[in-house]
Amino acid sequence: MFCRFRDQDERRAFGDGDFYELQFCRYPAGTPIKRIVDGAERWRDDSLYIPGDDMALFDREYGGIFTGGTYANLQTGPWDWCGINYYDPALTERIIAEVWERKPLESTKLLLWLYEARNCNGFYLLGV
């Protein structure tokens, strides 16, 4: 379900279909939230990808965990499959704790990536 690629050529070789992308937020702490949600750029090499074919599985396993993110319109709620979801450092810690406690499918892969997100200003979940 979770994929990491050395570069975008490797990702395209895997299949150039739709992917959901977990991406580190590289903006420094204190950056205005509007700048953060408007500034995500797709297809980063250090992102964690979820193939579109695995979306139902991801939603079943993790949908209740990935809540509270900030959308492009600055509202919050359950994760938006089609838009941007930004999770600040406090939400990152809550998500880590819930994944650790629940241990959904492939949680180790996700946790290793989320531990890296601790060095950033949270992370994004980018929909298609």
Side-chain angles (χ1 to χ4, degrees):
M1 174 171 37
F2 296 110
C3 304
R4 282 191 94 166
F5 304 107
R6 283 188 313 270
D7 55 38
Q8 294 310 306
D9 290 333
E10 183 180 27
R11 180 189 55 79
R12 283 190 277 288
F14 178 85
D16 202 19
D18 56 338
F19 287 93
Y20 295 83
E21 181 176 359
L22 290 161
Q23 182 184 108
F24 300 125
C25 177
R26 300 286 187 197
Y27 288 102
T31 301
I33 189 68
K34 186 63 176 158
R35 174 80 172 117
I36 289 173
V37 296
D38 287 346
E41 298 175 11
R42 293 195 171 272
W43 311 122
R44 294 284 177 96
D45 289 343
D46 58 359
S47 291
L48 190 65
Y49 293 93
I50 306 158
D53 290 346
D54 290 338
M55 240 21 286
L57 177 61
F58 177 81
D59 191 47
R60 185 179 72 237
E61 295 288 319
Y62 291 94
I65 296 173
F66 282 84
T67 61
T70 302
Y71 310 139
N73 66 4
L74 304 184
Q75 300 297 308
T76 62
W79 76 282
D80 178 4
W81 295 40
C82 298
I84 188 169
N85 305 267
Y86 166 68
Y87 302 90
D88 65 25
L91 282 171
T92 301
E93 290 303 320
R94 181 193 51 82
I95 289 169
I96 288 171
E98 285 191 46
V99 171
W100 179 258
E101 181 181 318
R102 295 184 191 189
K103 295 183 179 30
L105 186 66
E106 293 193 27
S107 61
T108 301
K109 286 182 183 179
L110 178 60
L111 284 170
L112 290 172
W113 188 88
L114 287 170
Y115 293 151
E116 291 182 58
R118 286 176 162 164
N119 299 317
C120 301
N121 189 14
F123 68 96
Y124 303 100
L125 173 53
L126 304 174
V128 291

